[in-house]
Amino acid sequence: MAISLSLILHLVIIYFLFNKWDEGIKIQKVLPPKYLQAKLVNLDEKIKKKIQPKPKPKPKPKPKPKPKPKPKPKKNNEKKIKHKIIDEQETKILQASKQLELENKKIVSSYSAYIIERIEANWNRPPSSRREMEAKLLIRLVPTGQVISVKLLKTSGNIAFDRSAEQAVYKVGSFDKLQQLDIQTFEKNFRELQLVFKPNDLRL
Amino acid sequence: MKKINLIIILFAFISLSASAELSINITKGIDNPTKIAIAPLSFYGNQLPEDIGRIIEEDLKRSGLFDPIPRKNMLSFPGTLKDVYFRDWKILGAEYLVIGSLILSGDFYEITYSLLEVHSSRLVFTKIAKGSKDQIRDLSHHISDQVYEAITGIEGAFSTKVAYVTSLKSNNKILFKLMVSDVDGARERAVLESNHPIMSPSWSPDAKELVYVSFETGRPAVFRQNLANGNRKQLSDFRGLNGAPSWSPDGKKLALVLSKDGNPEIYTFDLRKEKFIRHTNHFAIDTEPNWAPDSKSLVFTSDRGGSPQIYRLILKNGEVQRLTFRGSYNARPRLASNGRTLVMIHRSAHQFNIATQDLVNGDLRILSNTSLDESPTVSPNSAMLLYATKINNKGVLAAVSLDAGVKFLLPSKQGDVREPAWSPK
Amino acid sequence: MKKIYKYSLATMVLSLSLVGCSMTKTNSVATMTNDRITTGSIKNNSIQGSTLKTDIKVPRVFYFEFDKVMLSTEARSALRLHAQSLRSNPAKIRLLGHADERGSREYNMALGENRGNVVRDFLIQEGVNSSLIEVVSYGEEKAASHGSNEDSWAMNRRVELK
């Protein structure tokens, strides 16, 4: 009884400690890589005058058309052109970022496939395993690919099954190919990841 | 200013979509026997009468689930946790390591042993077991059970026993014996010796008694015997068949076959009240009853459908359901303790093999590759089965794992061996 | 600084909890149980021999085809002679039924009994008093021939009149 209480208390403390710790990392993630900023600098050069942000801050353009009816068409045209250029630039940014996302996804999925292949080659399931079982692990890696921690997030309900999943990761020991990955993609995706062990190749 | 907002929004979008932790699905594995190292147990004193480490290695190997690291390859023999260098074992490819040390305290041996995970350098457990000087084999099998259970999630069956019948021709007479040995074949002892046939041993649920059929009175009759003191009692004395006794898992009754009413029917016998109750009522052969784990139904062989098939009898209402539909001969049913695996003799292409049928999904699997197989008996953890067969005209026992991964013959003994019955504990 | 502090505190807490776990795990000692076995003993049972008066040359063993319970013509003629003998000189007889080794042992006990019953019924048809006849099955337990081939099996599918 006392043992389980102290365990629970310890786990609660640890949870809060690690939680706050994580927030710090998340804030770091939002910092942009430098090369994208470079493109935007180009944008500034193209457009000479300062561009007013269009659809969102609506109140501003409204008061202006009132005092001068004649200069209106000119200003509208200018605005339209400016808006068009802005739209094009935005579309380009969006396309570029979507492209990047796609490439990023490809890289992530290819390295994920590598991780899957290594683990599956080392996963030795106990005879008490059943197809419906599912265990979730949280593993932490370093850029060399080495596994530095394995944590059971969700038990399958069968200790031997959970243990076999953990053992599979420990047996791999190090996902060496991750060394070829650029540091940003590594940090974003592979520093810490979840493994869901759910066998669908079992007879029972 | 607002453009910076846009930048932030865009990158927030990109990073948010990826900031949910990457989750990878692992859906397959390779189920090779687990490599385990059993470091020889350390003992400060005179040589031990048995090599405990060797017994454990053989137990684990026989289960088909483990691949023990050869002792000659070991770099060290740690007896305690502080002596363990995990690198020594990683090099050998061991996934698990068992170490232990033995002390003699008075007339007892006390073994402290540990199971360790090599790759994670973690301790799984440390336990202590105690036994008298002639219980070294029991201590070894106990450790095998604990290691097996921690790694496979299934209770070990290395401390169980087997009863079986032997027949040996000598001087134109045949000597029959009812024997009990450890499940690894060691410590064979005679329960009964007779000049008349002995058949169908069945264990009590506490593994302290056997019931069996003996022809010593000139006709088949059912006897009950206490193993520790050898006391025997004849339970049935009818004309015709008295056979196939099966002890209920709740210990209260026997199921058996009697043909006193004209043809073989299934009866139950209340051990306390000493009363027989008849449960089947059909002119066909009904025989070989065996209890379901909940003691509420029996599976049995009947040829009421024209050829031997397996049926289930619900004791409460007498309802009979047919269970086997494939093949022209299915007999001698045994229900595994998991309640869903039916084991039987199945004939296909003139061969008699041991087969299992999953009562939930209907899968039929032939497990043995010998022929003339009979008398299957299942281990209490439903992992293995023993059966009798003939090799080179000699009766021998064979083992096969229920997932058909492992098969082997038991060491040959004098004479013919048959009718194995696995003890329930 | 803050992070390092949290990190070390977490590690301390973690390791303390782990140590605490292994220290407080009480190792209950498993003690082995005793399993002595004593051999049982059998009372001496003498089984009476028959006083059947039929000529010794008349067959007293009758064979059966695989999966069949029909009596051959030779069997019938022999049994008629035995029936004659039993009608004039009643004697208790035992009909021992057997089966070949294939298939399960207890089911073979039932097959052996079936065969014995067929012989009994024939004798009763021939006028023998049923109280003189006992059918005892030995299934595959008393093989006449120990090979695992058709010839051996044919020798074992039999009823012996004793």
Side-chain angles (χ1 to χ4, degrees), chain C residues 35-63:
Chain C
D35 54 356
R36 184 174 43 110
I37 291 182
T38 308
T39 313
S41 54
I42 297 183
K43 279 185 288 185
N44 233 339
N45 289 299
S46 52
I47 299 153
Q48 274 182 327
S50 162
T51 51
L52 180 63
K53 293 239 178 351
T54 328
D55 191 275
I56 273 293
K57 285 199 214 109
V58 179
R60 297 194 181 195
V61 185
F62 316 103
Y63 296 93

Side-chain angles (χ1 to χ4, degrees), chain B residues 3 38 51 70 99 139 169 173 185 196 207 253 374 388 391-393:
Chain B
K3 200 193 293 180
I38 317 287
D51 185 339
I99 65 165
L139 285 165
K169 214 169 188 179
K173 269 186 158 184
H196 307 277
K253 299 190 181 140
E374 56 180 37
I391 307 265
N392 295 330
N393 219 19

Side-chain angles (χ1 to χ4, degrees), chain A residues 28-139:
Chain A
Q28 283 180 355
K29 279 183 187 172
V30 180
L31 279 175
K34 289 179 183 173
Y35 59 89
L36 269 167
Q37 271 183 342
K39 278 193 182 172
L40 284 163
V41 169
N42 286 335
L43 254 173
D44 269 334
E45 286 177 10
K46 281 185 182 175
I47 297 162
K48 289 163 192 174
K49 291 185 184 173
K50 278 191 179 176
I51 305 157
Q52 291 169 348
K54 340 86 274 141
K56 282 167 192 180
K58 273 183 184 178
K60 279 187 186 175
K62 277 180 187 175
K64 278 186 184 176
K66 278 181 186 175
K68 289 180 183 177
K70 278 187 183 179
K72 233 193 196 178
K74 278 189 188 175
K75 278 198 177 174
N76 275 340
N77 277 336
E78 272 185 25
K79 275 181 201 164
K80 275 185 187 171
I81 295 165
K82 284 177 197 169
H83 286 170
K84 212 184 174 187
I85 296 170
I86 295 166
D87 283 338
E88 280 175 8
Q89 296 296 350
E90 278 171 10
T91 328
K92 279 190 184 171
I93 298 172
L94 272 163
Q95 273 179 353
S97 62
K98 269 189 186 165
Q99 179 81 352
L100 253 153
E101 231 191 283
L102 258 166
E103 282 171 15
N104 202 36
K105 271 190 183 165
K106 272 190 200 167
I107 294 173
V108 170
S109 90
S110 109
Y111 280 92
S112 299
Y114 160 70
I115 290 175
I116 291 174
E117 183 242 310
R118 295 288 291 121
I119 295 179
E120 287 184 349
N122 282 284
W123 189 22
N124 186 351
R125 284 80 55 88
S128 52
S129 306
R130 296 291 177 265
R131 232 184 276 132
E132 319 84 55
M133 286 184 187
E134 183 181 289
K136 280 193 189 159
L137 299 184
L138 181 71
I139 68 170

